[in-house]
Amino acid sequence: MAEGVPKVSSENVLVSFPPDLPHVIVITMNRTATMNAMTPELRDDIGKVMDYFENEPSLWAAIITGAGRAFSVGMDLGAWLKDQSSGQLTNYNDVKAPGQGIGSISMRRSKKPIIAAVNGYAVGGGFEMVLNCDLIVAGSGAKFGYPEAMRGVTVAAGGLPRLLHVAGHQAESSVPRKRETDFVCEWIRGTRATVILMATVSINAIVPPDQVMPTALQFAKTITANSPDAVQSSKVGIVCAEQEGGLDSATRAHVHSPETERMFTGENISVGKRPQRE
């Protein structure tokens, strides 16, 4: 187990380290009474752990999941309404301010792989978090969607441009929303949800609910069997391709990144070369 894990403010975030996977951290949202609805406190706690993961050299992959009946249903709308009624506009100011987005995940530019292990609802901000993960493992009963319009709010933490990028304009406007009228939510459930999203968002595995975490751990095991420098350079290359614009600028940003320099100059490159010599 890695050392120096930051203390979180409550048991709303659980941190664990699989005993047979020393380079993997598992982060579990644990507000089960609210289906892991996001509050500033929960976001900040996840952020502390994610920042630790980013900076801890011995950790190479993270799994984010939710306890109970949901991955996350997004923002805690009760707390949001209270905030709006008080005139503080804290949530709006949070959205406008630079940051890591919903759950400190949806806008994060991580250099390391993040796996979303999804059972139950991943909607609203929860869906935004999932879309910024590198691999998605979904239980057969998972439910995805952006219900914001029917709640009088909008998707504002990276989820709309990210879904547009992977799915296209028409798919984003109607999947998974009500078929007759765009931007009015209807849950798309079970196998149909995951089949639709596999076609648009590339869910990596659909498994029975009790196999979601074992499958996510298997993905993590496969990732961490490789050179961490090579994996992180590849991840940075993907992020550059998404955010740097054209091919040339994305390639230059990737090649000049600290992660790629470390890959070429560090000792881990010999691990990858060895099988070619043998």
Side-chain angles (χ1 to χ4, degrees):
M1 185 181 87
E3 298 180 354
V5 183
K7 292 182 178 181
V8 295
S9 61
S10 70
E11 294 185 355
N12 290 335
V13 174
L14 305 178
V15 179
S16 60
F17 300 89
D20 56 339
L21 296 175
H23 302 299
V24 177
I25 186 171
V26 178
I27 304 167
T28 304
M29 295 174 282
N30 192 42
R31 293 190 75 216
T32 55
T34 63
M35 300 177 73
N36 300 316
M38 192 60 56
T39 63
E41 294 75 20
L42 179 57
R43 176 204 62 206
D44 290 346
D45 280 345
I46 296 172
K48 291 177 185 177
V49 180
M50 286 300 301
D51 290 346
Y52 164 74
F53 162 66
E54 300 280 5
N55 296 311
E56 172 51 56
S58 68
L59 293 175
W60 302 352
I63 298 171
I64 179 79
T65 192
R69 297 185 297 126
F71 176 84
S72 174
V73 294
M75 292 299 297
D76 188 324
L77 295 183
W80 191 342
L81 180 61
K82 183 178 179 181
D83 178 72
Q84 294 291 111
S85 300
S86 70
Q88 296 181 35
L89 300 180
T90 302
N91 283 288
Y92 182 46
N93 291 330
D94 284 348
V95 167
K96 292 190 296 181
Q100 307 287 7
I102 299 291
S104 195
I105 297 283
S106 71
M107 293 288 288
R108 181 175 288 269
R109 291 186 63 169
S110 176
K111 63 188 178 184
K112 299 180 182 181
I114 305 171
I115 302 168
V118 182
N119 264 319
Y121 289 92
V123 299
F127 191 27
E128 293 190 90
M129 293 171 66
V130 168
L131 286 178
N132 199 33
C133 292
D134 301 284
L135 297 172
I136 305 170
V137 179
S140 55
K143 303 171 182 69
F144 302 88
Y146 283 146
E148 277 86 341
M150 68 183 296
R151 302 292 186 231
V153 294
T154 189
V155 181
L160 288 180
R162 188 161 284 114
L163 186 57
L164 175 65
H165 179 76
V166 299
H169 185 105
Q170 286 73 27
E172 179 174 15
S173 296
S174 60
V175 179
R177 298 187 178 101
K178 188 174 177 63
R179 291 181 295 279
E180 294 83 357
T181 307
D182 291 350
F183 312 117
V184 180
C185 176
E186 175 185 87
W187 300 128
I188 298 205
R189 303 171 184 272
T191 302
R192 180 164 175 265
T194 47
V195 167
I196 289 171
L197 289 171
M198 283 194 77
T200 59
V201 182
S202 296
I203 287 178
N204 301 93
I206 304 170
V207 296
D210 63 354
Q211 291 302 305
V212 167
M213 186 53 67
T215 304
L217 289 168
Q218 184 58 49
F219 275 129
K221 181 178 181 180
T222 301
I223 291 169
T224 56
N226 297 299
S227 159
D229 295 339
V231 170
Q232 289 171 34
S233 174
S234 299
K235 169 68 185 285
V236 168
I238 293 171
V239 173
C240 289
E242 290 179 338
Q243 301 193 357
E244 294 296 334
L247 174 64
D248 290 345
S249 60
T251 301
R252 284 195 297 271
H254 176 211
V255 170
H256 289 282
S257 69
E259 291 75 20
T260 299
E261 179 181 1
R262 187 171 66 247
M263 185 202 73
F264 277 105
T265 61
E267 62 182 17
N268 283 319
I269 195 168
S270 63
V271 175
K273 288 180 176 177
R274 190 176 301 126
Q276 293 179 320
R277 295 196 301 265
E278 292 175 349

